[in-house]
């Protein structure tokens, strides 16, 4: 394959995708060239379109092609509530519940001291400005219940306390539909502490 | 995320990659947009370049940007030997051994009746023409030692037998550096049958 430089370049380029090593990249390049060149061209166009048109919402920091995203512009939303999530996928999960009608702030990451990701890297300044702009009364901390998500929630709570905001956290507890026998003990302990 | 159409398109487009489901595609799109837009643009260029410049070698069917690949053009090669492999990665593995100086034919696939892949789909006609062009004396069947690879080797051998060619198959046996205790019994049995 020594003369197929474009193939080597493609294999190397595919490795910029998370979780894709040399073997996966080879398999992907081979599959695209052999079986799906139209898909490869569509993917190239989608990459270019996305990198050139997608930016961050001026209000909630999520991905959007506009200055302010559709959710932030939705006048039926309760502007007094701000739900803080780690990623657009997390926001999407909360939205799908249909149980929340307030606004969001999407951190686009989480504190991760071991990876060198500190408060500046996840835009906490922007969150604090937003939370304190006078419209928000309650900040709901909906970061994940992982060590990093908990640390992130803690730092945000510290940064906003004593400023007249109600700070809440999603309840920890037993997942709906699960049997106690199969739920891990830490979750049951939290469900006991947070019992209503 | 309802207004980020370019994001949805990107996520869908990433699913043309083998082994990438919705969750992986979301993670990839998110990673590229948040952390590596330069990588995304490089990948887009590599995809375009590859799909437009890479074709099949007129002689050995492997990927190349020229009419005939560098290996087939290499005058130091023994043109009497033709090694048949499934993929460019397999060819690369044989090359790295340094033990083979003949030429190749790359099937770009294997027979797979269950997936509806028959002799026409993997270009056996092109292989037969090449093997019978008068320069080749020995055809080495180096398809994989899987059910599909064995079936492919069998069909090729059937198609070429009685045409004055020497047909050989890679030896099956115990991998170098392995202890018999940990080698599967089928491999040991084959190593006994193929003993030298
Ligand atoms: Zn927004
Ligand atoms: Zn060639």
């Amino acid at each position: 394959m020594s003369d197929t430089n474009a193939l080597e370049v493609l294999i190397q380029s595919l490795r910029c995708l998370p979780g894709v090593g040399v073997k996966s990249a080879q398999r992907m390049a081979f599959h695209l060239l052999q079986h799906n060149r139209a898909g490869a061209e569509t993917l190239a166009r989608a990459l270019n379109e996305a990198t050139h048109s997608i930016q961050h919402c001026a209000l909630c920091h999520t991905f959007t092609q506009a200055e302010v995203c559709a959710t932030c512009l939705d006048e039926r939303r309760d502007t007094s509530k701000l739900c803080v999530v780690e990623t657009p996928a997390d926001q999407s999960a909360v939205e799908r519940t249909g149980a929340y009608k307030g606004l969001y702030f999407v951190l686009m990451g989480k504190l991760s001291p071991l990876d060198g990701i500190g408060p500046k890297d996840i835009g906490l300044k922007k969150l604090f400005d937003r939370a304190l702009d006078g419209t928000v009364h309650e900040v709901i901390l909906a970061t994940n219940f992982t060590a990093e998500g908990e640390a992130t929630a803690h730092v945000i709570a510290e940064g906003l306390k004593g400023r007249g905001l109600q700070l809440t956290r999603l309840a920890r507890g037993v997942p709906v539909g699960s049997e106690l026998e199969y739920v891990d003990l830490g979750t049951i302990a939290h469900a006991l502490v947070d019992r209503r």
Side-chain angles (χ1 to χ4, degrees), chain A residues 161-195:
Chain A
K161 78 177 178 190
R163 307 294 294 261
L165 291 168
Q166 188 182 357
L167 295 172
T168 57
R169 182 93 170 99
L170 286 191
R172 294 166 298 195
V174 179
V176 172
S178 56
E179 298 173 63
L180 282 187
E181 181 179 352
Y182 301 108
V183 173
D184 74 278
L185 298 185
T187 296
I188 295 177
H190 281 307
L192 280 168
V193 171
D194 293 347
R195 70 187 182 278

Side-chain angles (χ1 to χ4, degrees), chain A residues 28-40:
Chain A
M28 286 174 171
F30 182 79
H31 174 85
L32 291 177
L33 289 170
Q34 186 69 7
H35 302 294
N36 197 359
R37 290 186 181 224

Side-chain angles (χ1 to χ4, degrees), chain A residues 15-74:
Chain A
R15 297 195 57 197
C16 78
L17 299 170
V20 175
V22 171
K23 284 279 176 190
S24 296
Q26 277 182 347
R27 203 176 68 243
M28 286 174 171
F30 182 79
H31 174 85
L32 291 177
L33 289 170
Q34 186 69 7
H35 302 294
N36 197 359
R37 290 186 181 224
E41 287 171 14
T42 301
L43 176 55
R45 274 195 305 277
L47 286 163
N48 277 324
E49 174 68 15
T51 51
H52 292 119
S53 74
I54 294 177
Q55 51 184 327
H56 290 286
C57 173
L59 283 177
C60 74
H61 206 50
T62 197
F63 291 132
T64 175
Q65 287 172 271
E67 174 79 13
V68 174
C69 78
T71 305
C72 287
L73 287 174
D74 185 348

Side-chain angles (χ1 to χ4, degrees), chain A residues 7-21:
Chain A
L7 182 57
E8 288 303 323
V9 170
L10 176 57
I11 290 168
Q12 281 307 315
S13 302
L14 283 163
R15 297 195 57 197
C16 78
L17 299 170
V20 175

